[in-house]
Amino acid sequence: MKEILKMLEHKEYKKLRQQLEIMKPADIAEILEDLSHKNALFLFRLLPKDLAVEVFSHMSPYDQAKLSELFNVEELQQLVKELNFDDKIDFLEELPAQLVKRILKNAQVQERTLINQFLNYPEYSAGSLMTIEFVDLKKEMTAQEAIEHISKTGFKKETIYTCYVIDAYRKLEGIVSLKNIILAEENEKIENLMERDFISITTTEDQEEIAEIFKKYDLLAIPVVDLENRLVGIITVDDIIDTIEEENTEDFHKMAGLKPSKREYMDSSVLSLTKHRLPWLMILMITATFTGAIIKSFEEVISKVAALAVFIPMLMDNGGNAGSQSSTLVIRSMALGEVAPKDILKVIWKEFRVSLIVGLSLAILNFLRILLFENYPIAISLIVSVTIFITIILAEVIGGTLPILAKILKLDPAIMASPMLSTILDALVLFTYFSISKAILHL
């Protein structure tokens, strides 16, 4: 970065261009994202056309949109024309509708129709992720004819390592790897080389389910078909890796009580960050009134035995922590496909057994600590210890169950992680604590 800025400052443009030409496109994209808009635009225009297209495809959607605001329409039209089809769709999705219309105004009718079709697919579906840049073959071809066809048409394809065998109506009949074609006899028919038992998905498949399929079957690419089994596109592993990263980021945001955002932290304005945090905080603040109501209803108990108030933070923290551990494990296991909604009873039974051991251990430890080191009466030690035991059981069972219930109700399981879970457990912990206190102290 220092070298680039120095060359820009001293107007060593020839040297700068030579330096950029030997760099990786992803590294140049990272530099552009850190430069001022003026310098980023100048540097981008300095790049050779092919390299500029590669660099642009490596930039984040937000930075692509920001940089594109500095281009004139002719530059945008030329850039869109050179982008790979899936990168083209991703870029156009981030632009205002009016600008998209201006960019596509001079595009060929067939391409414009196809782009509009892709832009109309649901945001998180296979249709929005796929590309039409794949190699298709006919089963009547020989291995030699297939190699010649790949040589002629494969230059701008997303991948040539897997080829797709279609009939005259574009119905998918099989898939064949480039390795098998190259190693086969020249006159061997593709029909004899292709796999008929293949995995495909439809255009409406959700991206989370697609990611699971890639993981389960170790795929490099997967064909996308319509309802009549006609091949309409493919999704490659590099696209699904980006999707997995987006899904994980979204889950982290929801687990922290944040509204998910696609923008990077440093690119987000203060107002934007505020808008993503405030709604959940307001909801949690309102739900926390239940906790206050419980404390108020047991005000008489606290006034008679003030020592009980000392242990409220510790009990609430233990409940929240235990619940978070349980929910985090279950949410992650669900994301990896290790736990399904049908396993809810198994999860409850497992978490109950774990909570018995954990709860009993913490209860004994706290009983001895409060009695021996803090010199409270046996009754107080017993109340706190019994509460901890019951709290851990409630927290771990509820923490493991709520994400599964959310999935059953078609909600995102991540919303059931803390702080939502902590708010629910706080109310339960306090009610349990004061109810046990009344029973043991006969208040």
Side-chain angles (χ1 to χ4, degrees):
M1 174 64 80
K2 289 181 180 178
E3 290 178 17
I4 297 294
L5 288 173
K6 186 177 178 181
M7 283 185 264
L8 275 171
E9 186 181 344
H10 291 88
K11 299 183 180 179
E12 298 173 339
Y13 302 140
K14 185 178 179 181
K15 184 180 177 182
L16 178 56
R17 182 185 171 99
Q18 291 172 345
Q19 175 64 33
L20 292 171
E21 286 176 348
I22 62 173
M23 292 176 66
K24 300 287 186 186
D27 294 330
I28 301 174
E30 191 174 343
I31 288 172
L32 286 178
E33 290 173 357
D34 290 334
L35 289 175
S36 67
H37 291 164
K38 180 181 176 181
N39 284 337
L41 179 63
F42 180 82
L43 205 68
F44 187 83
R45 285 174 170 164
L46 204 61
L47 297 170
K49 185 176 73 173
D50 291 344
L51 180 58
V53 172
E54 281 193 70
V55 168
F56 192 80
S57 66
H58 278 90
M59 296 175 71
S60 70
Y62 175 75
D63 287 299
Q64 284 181 344
K66 280 295 180 186
L67 187 60
S68 65
E69 289 175 4
L70 307 175
F71 295 149
N72 56 48
V73 175
E74 289 73 24
E75 284 179 306
L76 278 175
Q77 287 174 336
Q78 185 60 37
L79 179 63
V80 169
K81 182 180 177 181
E82 297 297 328
L83 284 171
N84 288 333
F85 193 82
D86 55 340
D87 293 328
K88 188 181 301 185
I89 298 300
D90 290 341
F91 172 53
L92 292 175
E93 283 178 336
E94 299 297 320
L95 297 180
Q98 284 299 115
L99 184 56
V100 172
K101 286 181 181 178
R102 290 176 65 191
I103 292 171
L104 298 181
K105 185 173 66 175
N106 297 326
Q108 295 181 358
V109 176
Q110 184 179 359
E111 183 186 27
R112 188 163 64 245
T113 303
L114 194 58
I115 289 172
N116 286 326
Q117 178 186 335
F118 271 67
L119 290 175
N120 286 326
Y121 283 120
E123 186 178 1
Y124 299 111
S125 67
S128 68
L129 289 174
M130 68 184 182
T131 178
I132 57 169
E133 292 163 343
F134 55 85
V135 175
D136 54 41
L137 303 173
K138 298 290 189 291
K139 63 183 178 183
E140 299 82 15
M141 287 180 172
T142 64
Q144 182 61 36
E145 289 171 340
I147 291 172
E148 290 173 2
H149 177 74
I150 294 168
S151 298
K152 290 177 183 177
T153 63
F155 180 73
K156 290 202 71 176
K157 303 301 182 184
E158 188 81 9
T159 179
I160 63 171
Y161 302 116
T162 304
C163 303
Y164 302 89
V165 185
I166 57 175
D167 65 11
Y169 302 99
R170 298 199 63 79
K171 287 191 175 181
L172 184 60
E173 296 186 306
I175 62 172
V176 58
S177 69
L178 181 62
K179 174 185 174 183
N180 288 345
I181 296 173
I182 292 173
L183 296 179
E185 296 291 332
E186 289 185 359
N187 295 323
E188 189 72 59
K189 295 285 186 182
I190 293 299
E191 184 177 14
N192 300 326
L193 299 174
M194 70 182 190
E195 292 181 34
R196 289 180 170 81
D197 183 20
F198 55 85
I199 297 164
S200 65
I201 56 175
T202 61
T203 53
T204 55
E205 199 95 28
D206 185 79
Q207 63 181 22
E208 283 193 65
E209 295 171 2
I210 300 168
E212 284 300 316
I213 294 171
F214 266 89
K215 179 192 166 190
K216 183 176 181 180
Y217 297 103
D218 293 325
L219 300 175
L220 292 177
I222 191 169
V224 183
V225 297
D226 62 16
L227 296 177
E228 296 181 8
N229 201 42
R230 289 186 297 237
L231 184 62
V232 291
I234 65 169
I235 297 174
T236 53
V237 68
D238 59 321
D239 293 321
I240 212 64
I241 286 173
D242 293 338
T243 298
I244 292 170
E245 184 180 357
E246 287 176 11
E247 290 288 342
N248 288 341
T249 303
E250 183 179 306
D251 284 346
F252 284 133
H253 286 173
K254 287 181 178 178
M255 289 171 73
L258 292 167
K259 184 181 175 183
S261 172
K262 289 184 177 181
R263 288 189 181 181
E264 295 179 8
Y265 176 80
M266 296 305 294
D267 292 330
S268 301
S269 66
V270 172
L271 185 60
S272 173
L273 290 172
T274 303
K275 285 166 61 179
H276 284 88
R277 298 182 191 187
L278 194 57
W280 265 110
L281 289 175
M282 293 176 77
I283 292 169
L284 293 170
M285 181 183 70
I286 293 169
T287 56
T289 57
F290 293 113
T291 306
I294 292 171
I295 293 176
K296 188 175 181 180
S297 66
F298 287 98
E299 204 169 11
E300 186 182 352
V301 177
I302 298 174
S303 64
K304 290 181 179 178
V305 187
L308 292 174
V310 175
F311 299 100
I312 290 176
M314 183 267 290
L315 291 170
M316 291 171 67
D317 285 347
N318 267 280
N321 292 337
S324 294
Q325 287 181 340
S326 179
S327 65
T328 300
L329 284 173
V330 172
I331 289 168
R332 189 57 184 157
S333 297
M334 290 175 72
L336 296 173
E338 299 168 355
V339 173
K342 65 179 181 179
D343 299 319
I344 186 167
L345 294 179
K346 293 179 182 177
V347 170
I348 291 172
W349 177 232
K350 185 177 287 264
E351 287 301 321
F352 177 71
R353 286 179 290 164
V354 171
S355 66
L356 284 177
I357 299 171
V358 174
L360 189 59
S361 302
L362 291 177
I364 293 171
L365 180 63
N366 267 283
F367 181 81
L368 296 173
R369 177 181 66 86
I370 295 168
L371 186 65
L372 300 177
F373 296 100
E374 299 191 20
N375 298 317
Y376 282 99
I378 291 179
I380 299 295
S381 303
L382 185 62
I383 289 168
V384 175
S385 300
V386 172
T387 303
I388 282 182
F389 179 68
I390 295 174
T391 293
I392 297 298
I393 293 174
L394 288 172
E396 303 224 1
V397 171
I398 293 172
T401 306
L402 283 181
I404 301 178
L405 291 176
K407 187 74 172 179
I408 293 171
L409 296 172
K410 308 296 183 184
L411 300 173
D412 193 323
I415 64 174
M416 291 303 176
S418 58
M420 175 63 81
L421 179 62
S422 295
T423 304
I424 296 169
L425 290 174
D426 285 348
L428 288 173
V429 168
L430 288 173
F431 183 79
T432 302
Y433 182 41
F434 292 124
S435 297
I436 292 171
S437 300
K438 283 186 73 174
I440 292 178
L441 297 175
H442 306 290
L443 297 174

